[in-house]
Coordinates of all heavy atoms in Angstrom, one line a residue:
M1 N 0.8 -1.2 0.0 CA 0.0 0.0 0.0 C 0.9 1.3 0.0 O 1.8 1.3 0.8 CB -0.9 0.0 1.2 CG -1.9 1.1 1.2 SD -3.1 0.8 2.5 CE -2.7 2.2 3.6
T2 N 0.6 2.2 -0.9 CA 1.3 3.4 -1.0 C 0.8 4.5 0.0 O -0.4 4.7 0.0 CB 1.3 4.0 -2.4 OG1 1.7 2.9 -3.3 CG2 2.2 5.2 -2.6
K3 N 1.7 5.1 0.7 CA 1.3 6.1 1.6 C 1.5 7.5 1.0 O 2.5 7.7 0.3 CB 2.1 6.1 2.9 CG 1.7 5.0 3.8 CD 2.5 5.2 5.1 CE 2.1 4.2 6.2 NZ 2.8 4.3 7.4
S4 N 0.5 8.4 1.2 CA 0.7 9.7 0.7 C 1.3 10.5 1.8 O 1.2 10.2 3.0 CB -0.6 10.3 0.2 OG -1.5 10.5 1.3
R5 N 1.9 11.6 1.4 CA 2.4 12.5 2.5 C 2.0 14.0 2.1 O 1.7 14.2 0.9 CB 3.9 12.4 2.6 CG 4.7 12.1 1.4 CD 6.2 12.0 1.7 NE 6.8 12.6 0.6 CZ 8.1 13.0 0.5 NH1 8.8 12.8 1.6 NH2 8.5 13.5 -0.6
T6 N 2.1 14.8 3.0 CA 1.8 16.2 2.8 C 3.1 17.0 2.9 O 3.9 16.9 3.8 CB 0.8 16.7 3.9 OG1 -0.3 15.9 3.9 CG2 0.4 18.2 3.7
L7 N 3.3 17.8 1.9 CA 4.5 18.6 1.8 C 4.2 20.1 1.9 O 3.1 20.6 1.5 CB 5.2 18.4 0.4 CG 5.6 17.0 0.1 CD1 6.2 16.9 -1.3 CD2 6.5 16.4 1.1
L8 N 5.1 20.8 2.5 CA 4.9 22.3 2.8 C 5.8 23.0 1.9 O 7.0 22.7 1.8 CB 5.2 22.5 4.3 CG 5.3 23.9 4.8 CD1 4.0 24.6 4.7 CD2 5.7 23.9 6.3
R9 N 5.3 24.1 1.3 CA 6.1 25.0 0.5 C 5.8 26.4 0.9 O 4.7 26.8 1.1 CB 5.7 24.8 -1.0 CG 6.0 23.4 -1.5 CD 7.5 23.3 -2.0 NE 7.8 22.1 -2.6 CZ 8.2 21.0 -2.0 NH1 8.4 20.9 -0.7 NH2 8.4 19.9 -2.7
I10 N 6.8 27.2 0.8 CA 6.7 28.7 0.9 C 7.1 29.3 -0.4 O 8.3 29.1 -0.8 CB 7.5 29.3 2.1 CG1 7.2 28.6 3.4 CG2 7.3 30.8 2.2 CD1 5.9 29.0 4.1
D11 N 6.3 30.2 -1.0 CA 6.7 30.9 -2.2 C 7.5 32.1 -1.7 O 6.9 33.0 -1.1 CB 5.4 31.3 -2.9 CG 5.7 32.3 -4.0 OD1 6.9 32.5 -4.4 OD2 4.8 32.9 -4.5
P12 N 8.8 32.1 -2.0 CA 9.6 33.2 -1.5 C 9.3 34.6 -2.1 O 9.6 35.6 -1.6 CB 11.1 32.8 -1.8 CG 10.9 31.8 -2.9 CD 9.6 31.1 -2.8
I13 N 8.7 34.5 -3.3 CA 8.3 35.8 -4.0 C 7.0 36.4 -3.3 O 6.9 37.6 -3.1 CB 8.1 35.6 -5.5 CG1 9.3 34.9 -6.1 CG2 7.7 36.9 -6.2 CD1 10.5 35.8 -6.1
G14 N 6.1 35.5 -3.0 CA 4.8 35.9 -2.5 C 4.9 36.3 -1.0 O 4.1 37.1 -0.5
C15 N 5.8 35.7 -0.3 CA 5.9 35.9 1.2 C 6.3 37.3 1.5 O 7.2 37.9 0.9 CB 7.0 34.9 1.8 SG 7.2 35.2 3.5
R16 N 5.6 37.9 2.4 CA 5.8 39.3 2.9 C 6.2 39.4 4.3 O 6.1 40.4 4.9 CB 4.6 40.2 2.6 CG 4.3 40.4 1.1 CD 5.4 41.2 0.4 NE 5.1 41.4 -1.0 CZ 5.7 40.6 -1.9 NH1 6.5 39.6 -1.6 NH2 5.4 40.9 -3.2
A17 N 6.7 38.3 4.9 CA 7.2 38.2 6.2 C 6.2 38.7 7.3 O 6.6 39.4 8.2 CB 8.5 39.1 6.3
H18 N 5.0 38.3 7.1 CA 4.0 38.6 8.2 C 4.2 37.7 9.4 O 3.8 38.2 10.5 CB 2.5 38.3 7.6 CG 2.2 39.3 6.5 ND1 1.8 40.6 6.7 CD2 2.1 39.1 5.2 CE1 1.5 41.1 5.6 NE2 1.7 40.3 4.6
G19 N 4.7 36.5 9.2 CA 5.0 35.7 10.4 C 3.9 34.8 10.9 O 4.1 34.1 11.9
L20 N 2.7 34.9 10.4 CA 1.6 34.2 10.9 C 1.8 32.7 10.8 O 1.3 31.9 11.6 CB 0.3 34.6 10.2 CG -0.1 36.0 10.4 CD1 -1.4 36.3 9.6 CD2 -0.4 36.3 11.9
C21 N 2.5 32.3 9.7 CA 2.8 30.8 9.6 C 3.6 30.2 10.7 O 3.3 29.1 11.2 CB 3.5 30.6 8.2 SG 5.0 31.5 8.0
A22 N 4.6 31.0 11.2 CA 5.4 30.5 12.3 C 4.6 30.5 13.6 O 4.8 29.6 14.4 CB 6.6 31.3 12.4
E23 N 3.6 31.4 13.7 CA 2.8 31.4 14.9 C 1.9 30.2 14.9 O 1.6 29.5 15.9 CB 1.9 32.6 15.0 CG 2.7 33.9 15.4 CD 1.7 35.1 15.5 OE1 0.5 34.9 15.7 OE2 2.2 36.2 15.3
G24 N 1.4 29.8 13.7 CA 0.4 28.7 13.6 C 1.0 27.4 13.5 O 0.4 26.4 13.8
L25 N 2.3 27.3 13.2 CA 3.0 26.0 13.0 C 4.4 26.1 13.5 O 5.4 25.9 12.7 CB 2.9 25.6 11.5 CG 3.2 24.1 11.2 CD1 2.2 23.2 11.8 CD2 3.2 23.9 9.7
P26 N 4.6 26.4 14.8 CA 5.9 26.6 15.3 C 6.8 25.3 15.3 O 8.0 25.4 15.3 CB 5.7 27.1 16.7 CG 4.4 26.5 17.1 CD 3.6 26.6 15.8
E27 N 6.1 24.1 15.2 CA 6.9 22.9 15.2 C 7.7 22.7 13.9 O 8.7 22.0 13.9 CB 5.9 21.7 15.3 CG 5.1 21.6 16.5 CD 3.8 22.4 16.5 OE1 3.6 23.2 15.5 OE2 3.0 22.2 17.4
L28 N 7.2 23.4 12.8 CA 7.9 23.2 11.5 C 8.5 24.5 10.9 O 9.2 24.5 10.0 CB 6.9 22.6 10.5 CG 6.4 21.2 10.8 CD1 5.5 20.8 9.6 CD2 7.6 20.2 10.9
I29 N 8.1 25.6 11.5 CA 8.5 26.9 10.9 C 9.0 27.8 12.0 O 8.4 28.0 13.0 CB 7.3 27.6 10.2 CG1 6.7 26.7 9.1 CG2 7.8 29.0 9.6 CD1 5.4 27.3 8.5
H30 N 10.2 28.4 11.7 CA 10.6 29.5 12.6 C 11.0 30.7 11.7 O 11.1 30.5 10.4 CB 11.8 29.1 13.5 CG 13.1 28.9 12.8 ND1 13.4 27.6 12.3 CD2 14.1 29.7 12.6 CE1 14.6 27.7 11.8 NE2 15.1 28.9 11.9
L31 N 11.2 31.8 12.2 CA 11.4 33.0 11.4 C 12.9 33.4 11.5 O 13.5 33.3 12.6 CB 10.6 34.2 11.9 CG 9.0 34.0 11.9 CD1 8.3 35.2 12.5 CD2 8.6 33.7 10.5
D32 N 13.4 33.9 10.4 CA 14.8 34.4 10.4 C 14.8 35.8 11.0 O 13.8 36.3 11.4 CB 15.4 34.3 9.0 CG 14.8 35.2 8.0 OD1 14.1 36.2 8.4 OD2 15.1 35.0 6.8
E33 N 16.0 36.4 11.0 CA 16.1 37.7 11.6 C 15.3 38.8 10.9 O 15.1 39.9 11.5 CB 17.6 38.1 11.7 CG 18.2 38.2 10.4 CD 19.7 38.4 10.5 OE1 20.2 39.5 11.0 OE2 20.5 37.4 10.2
W34 N 14.9 38.6 9.7 CA 14.1 39.6 8.9 C 12.6 39.2 9.0 O 11.8 39.9 8.4 CB 14.6 39.7 7.5 CG 16.0 40.2 7.4 CD1 16.4 41.4 7.6 CD2 17.1 39.3 7.2 NE1 17.8 41.5 7.4 CE2 18.2 40.2 7.2 CE3 17.3 38.0 7.0 CZ2 19.5 39.8 7.0 CZ3 18.6 37.5 6.8 CH2 19.7 38.4 6.8
G35 N 12.3 38.1 9.6 CA 10.9 37.7 9.8 C 10.4 36.8 8.7 O 9.2 36.5 8.6
Y36 N 11.3 36.3 7.9 CA 10.9 35.4 6.8 C 11.0 33.9 7.4 O 11.8 33.6 8.2 CB 11.8 35.5 5.6 CG 11.5 36.7 4.8 CD1 12.1 37.9 5.0 CD2 10.5 36.7 3.8 CE1 11.8 39.1 4.3 CE2 10.2 37.8 3.1 CZ 10.9 39.0 3.4 OH 10.5 40.1 2.7
P37 N 10.0 33.1 6.9 CA 10.0 31.7 7.4 C 11.1 30.8 7.0 O 11.6 30.9 5.8 CB 8.6 31.2 6.9 CG 8.4 32.0 5.7 CD 9.0 33.4 5.9
V38 N 11.6 30.0 7.9 CA 12.6 29.0 7.6 C 11.9 27.6 8.0 O 11.5 27.5 9.2 CB 13.9 29.2 8.4 CG1 14.9 28.1 8.2 CG2 14.5 30.6 8.1
L39 N 11.9 26.7 7.1 CA 11.3 25.4 7.4 C 12.2 24.5 8.0 O 13.4 24.4 7.7 CB 10.7 24.8 6.1 CG 9.8 25.7 5.2 CD1 9.3 24.9 4.0 CD2 8.6 26.2 6.0
R40 N 11.7 23.7 9.0 CA 12.6 22.6 9.6 C 12.5 21.4 8.8 O 13.2 20.4 9.1 CB 12.1 22.4 11.0 CG 12.3 23.5 11.9 CD 12.1 23.2 13.4 NE 12.6 24.3 14.2 CZ 11.8 25.2 14.7 NH1 10.5 25.2 14.4 NH2 12.3 26.2 15.5
G41 N 11.8 21.4 7.7 CA 11.6 20.2 6.8 C 10.4 20.5 5.9 O 9.7 21.4 6.2
D42 N 10.3 19.8 4.8 CA 9.2 20.1 3.9 C 8.0 19.1 4.1 O 7.0 19.3 3.5 CB 9.6 20.2 2.5 CG 10.1 18.8 2.0 OD1 10.3 17.9 2.8 OD2 10.3 18.8 0.7
E43 N 8.2 18.1 4.9 CA 7.2 17.1 5.1 C 6.4 17.4 6.4 O 7.0 17.5 7.4 CB 7.7 15.7 5.1 CG 6.6 14.6 5.1 CD 7.2 13.2 4.9 OE1 8.3 13.1 4.4 OE2 6.4 12.3 5.1
V44 N 5.1 17.4 6.3 CA 4.2 17.7 7.4 C 3.8 16.3 8.0 O 3.1 15.5 7.3 CB 3.0 18.5 7.0 CG1 2.1 18.7 8.3 CG2 3.4 19.8 6.3
P45 N 4.2 16.0 9.3 CA 3.7 14.8 9.9 C 2.2 14.8 10.0 O 1.5 15.8 10.1 CB 4.3 14.8 11.3 CG 5.3 15.9 11.3 CD 5.0 16.9 10.2
P46 N 1.6 13.6 9.9 CA 0.1 13.5 9.9 C -0.5 14.2 11.1 O -1.6 14.8 11.0 CB -0.2 12.0 10.0 CG 1.0 11.4 9.3 CD 2.2 12.3 9.6
S47 N 0.2 14.2 12.2 CA -0.4 14.8 13.5 C -0.4 16.3 13.4 O -1.1 17.0 14.2 CB 0.5 14.4 14.7 OG 1.8 14.9 14.5
L48 N 0.3 16.9 12.4 CA 0.3 18.4 12.3 C -0.4 18.9 11.0 O -0.4 20.1 10.7 CB 1.8 18.9 12.2 CG 2.5 18.7 13.5 CD1 4.0 19.1 13.3 CD2 1.9 19.6 14.6
V49 N -1.0 18.0 10.3 CA -1.7 18.5 9.0 C -2.8 19.5 9.3 O -2.9 20.5 8.5 CB -2.2 17.2 8.2 CG1 -3.1 17.7 7.1 CG2 -1.0 16.4 7.7
A50 N -3.6 19.3 10.3 CA -4.7 20.2 10.6 C -4.1 21.6 10.9 O -4.6 22.6 10.4 CB -5.6 19.7 11.7
E51 N -3.1 21.6 11.7 CA -2.5 22.9 12.1 C -1.8 23.6 10.9 O -1.9 24.8 10.7 CB -1.4 22.7 13.2 CG -2.0 22.4 14.6 CD -2.2 20.9 14.8 OE1 -2.3 20.2 13.8 OE2 -2.2 20.5 16.0
A52 N -1.2 22.7 10.0 CA -0.6 23.3 8.8 C -1.6 23.9 7.9 O -1.4 24.9 7.3 CB 0.2 22.2 8.1
R53 N -2.8 23.2 7.8 CA -3.9 23.8 6.9 C -4.3 25.1 7.5 O -4.6 26.1 6.7 CB -5.0 22.8 6.9 CG -4.7 21.6 6.0 CD -6.0 21.0 5.5 NE -5.7 19.8 4.7 CZ -5.9 18.5 5.1 NH1 -6.5 18.3 6.2 NH2 -5.6 17.5 4.3
R54 N -4.5 25.2 8.8 CA -4.9 26.5 9.4 C -3.9 27.6 9.2 O -4.2 28.7 8.9 CB -5.2 26.3 10.9 CG -6.6 25.6 11.2 CD -6.9 25.7 12.6 NE -6.2 24.9 13.5 CZ -6.5 23.6 13.7 NH1 -7.5 23.1 13.2 NH2 -5.7 22.9 14.5
A55 N -2.6 27.2 9.3 CA -1.6 28.2 9.1 C -1.5 28.7 7.7 O -1.3 29.9 7.4 CB -0.2 27.6 9.5
A56 N -1.7 27.8 6.7 CA -1.7 28.1 5.3 C -2.9 29.1 5.0 O -2.8 30.0 4.3 CB -1.7 26.9 4.4
A57 N -4.0 28.8 5.6 CA -5.2 29.6 5.4 C -5.0 31.0 6.0 O -5.6 32.0 5.5 CB -6.5 28.9 6.0
A58 N -4.2 31.1 7.0 CA -4.0 32.4 7.7 C -3.0 33.3 7.0 O -2.9 34.5 7.3 CB -3.6 32.2 9.1
C59 N -2.2 32.7 6.1 CA -1.2 33.5 5.4 C -1.9 34.5 4.5 O -2.6 34.2 3.6 CB -0.3 32.6 4.5 SG 0.8 33.5 3.5
P60 N -1.6 35.8 4.7 CA -2.3 36.9 4.0 C -2.0 36.9 2.5 O -2.8 37.4 1.8 CB -1.8 38.2 4.7 CG -1.2 37.7 6.0 CD -0.7 36.3 5.8
T61 N -0.9 36.4 2.1 CA -0.5 36.4 0.7 C -0.7 35.1 0.0 O -0.3 34.9 -1.2 CB 0.9 36.9 0.5 OG1 1.8 36.0 1.1 CG2 1.1 38.3 1.1
L62 N -1.1 34.1 0.8 CA -1.3 32.7 0.2 C 0.1 32.2 -0.2 O 0.1 31.3 -1.2 CB -2.3 32.6 -0.9 CG -3.7 33.1 -0.5 CD1 -4.6 33.0 -1.7 CD2 -4.3 32.3 0.7
A63 N 1.1 32.6 0.4 CA 2.5 32.2 0.0 C 2.8 30.8 0.6 O 3.7 30.1 0.1 CB 3.5 33.1 0.5
M64 N 2.1 30.4 1.6 CA 2.3 29.1 2.2 C 1.3 28.1 1.6 O 0.1 28.4 1.6 CB 2.1 29.2 3.7 CG 2.2 27.8 4.4 SD 2.0 28.0 6.2 CE 1.9 26.3 6.6
R65 N 1.8 27.0 1.1 CA 1.0 26.1 0.4 C 1.3 24.7 0.9 O 2.4 24.4 1.2 CB 1.2 26.1 -1.1 CG 1.0 27.4 -1.8 CD -0.5 27.5 -2.2 NE -0.8 28.8 -2.8 CZ -0.6 29.1 -4.0 NH1 -0.1 28.2 -4.9 NH2 -0.9 30.3 -4.5
L66 N 0.2 23.8 0.9 CA 0.4 22.4 1.2 C 0.1 21.6 0.0 O -0.8 22.0 -0.8 CB -0.6 22.0 2.3 CG -0.4 22.7 3.7 CD1 -1.5 22.2 4.6 CD2 1.0 22.4 4.2
R67 N 0.8 20.6 -0.2 CA 0.6 19.8 -1.4 C 0.7 18.3 -1.0 O 1.5 17.9 -0.2 CB 1.7 20.0 -2.4 CG 1.6 19.3 -3.7 CD 2.6 19.7 -4.7 NE 4.0 19.4 -4.3 CZ 4.6 18.2 -4.6 NH1 3.9 17.3 -5.2 NH2 5.8 18.0 -4.2
R68 N -0.3 17.6 -1.5 CA -0.3 16.1 -1.2 C 0.6 15.5 -2.2 O 0.6 15.8 -3.4 CB -1.7 15.6 -1.4 CG -2.7 16.1 -0.4 CD -2.6 15.4 0.9 NE -3.2 14.1 0.9 CZ -3.3 13.3 1.9 NH1 -2.8 13.7 3.1 NH2 -3.8 12.1 1.8
D69 N 1.4 14.5 -1.8 CA 2.3 13.8 -2.6 C 1.8 12.3 -2.6 O 2.1 11.6 -1.7 CB 3.7 13.9 -2.1 CG 4.7 13.0 -2.9 OD1 4.3 12.6 -4.0 OD2 5.8 12.8 -2.5
P70 N 0.9 12.0 -3.5 CA 0.2 10.7 -3.4 C 1.2 9.5 -3.6 O 1.0 8.4 -3.0 CB -0.8 10.7 -4.6 CG -0.3 11.8 -5.5 CD 0.5 12.7 -4.7
A71 N 2.3 9.7 -4.2 CA 3.3 8.6 -4.4 C 4.2 8.5 -3.2 O 4.8 7.5 -3.0 CB 4.2 8.9 -5.6
G72 N 4.1 9.5 -2.3 CA 5.0 9.4 -1.1 C 6.4 9.4 -1.4 O 7.3 8.9 -0.7
Q73 N 6.8 10.2 -2.5 CA 8.2 10.3 -2.8 C 8.6 11.8 -2.9 O 7.8 12.6 -3.1 CB 8.4 9.7 -4.2 CG 8.1 8.2 -4.2 CD 8.3 7.6 -5.6 OE1 8.7 8.2 -6.5 NE2 7.9 6.3 -5.6
Ligands
SF4_1 S1 2.3 34.0 6.9 FE1 2.7 33.9 4.6 S2 3.5 35.9 4.2 FE2 3.7 35.7 6.4 S3 5.8 34.9 6.7 FE3 4.4 33.1 6.6 S4 4.4 32.5 4.4 FE4 5.3 34.6 4.5

């Protein structure tokens, strides 16, 4: 059976350093000294998918995106 996974992406062009993503998903995102997000990894553990969805929805510029990787690769 193939497992899918959820991947996290930040569009560096669209991001305006609002920082809401790091507030909503501190387990995977922290901010650099200019307020831009730095990911601790691009894969979202199943236990954090709901929080990741809320954080993506809160991004004012929609720069944070989640993508399902059905192949799990
Ligand atoms: S909430 Fe969106 S615009 Fe703000 S730092 Fe995160 S990705 Fe960038």
Side-chain angles (χ1 to χ4, degrees):
M1 188 171 110
T2 304
K3 285 187 175 179
S4 67
R5 33 180 220 165
T6 302
L7 301 177
L8 172 60
R9 296 277 187 267
I10 303 286
D11 170 12
I13 304 298
C15 177
R16 292 293 178 263
H18 295 284
L20 296 176
C21 55
E23 284 182 28
L25 196 60
E27 298 89 346
L28 295 181
I29 303 172
H30 70 272
L31 301 178
D32 69 13
E33 62 190 288
W34 297 283
Y36 285 92
V38 178
L39 306 183
R40 293 192 169 95
D42 66 349
E43 186 168 345
V44 180
S47 61
L48 291 176
V49 168
E51 287 90 338
R53 286 200 181 110
R54 282 192 287 273
C59 174
T61 65
L62 302 180
M64 178 180 169
R65 299 274 175 87
L66 298 178
R67 182 173 67 83
R68 296 281 285 181
D69 177 12
Q73 297 176 7

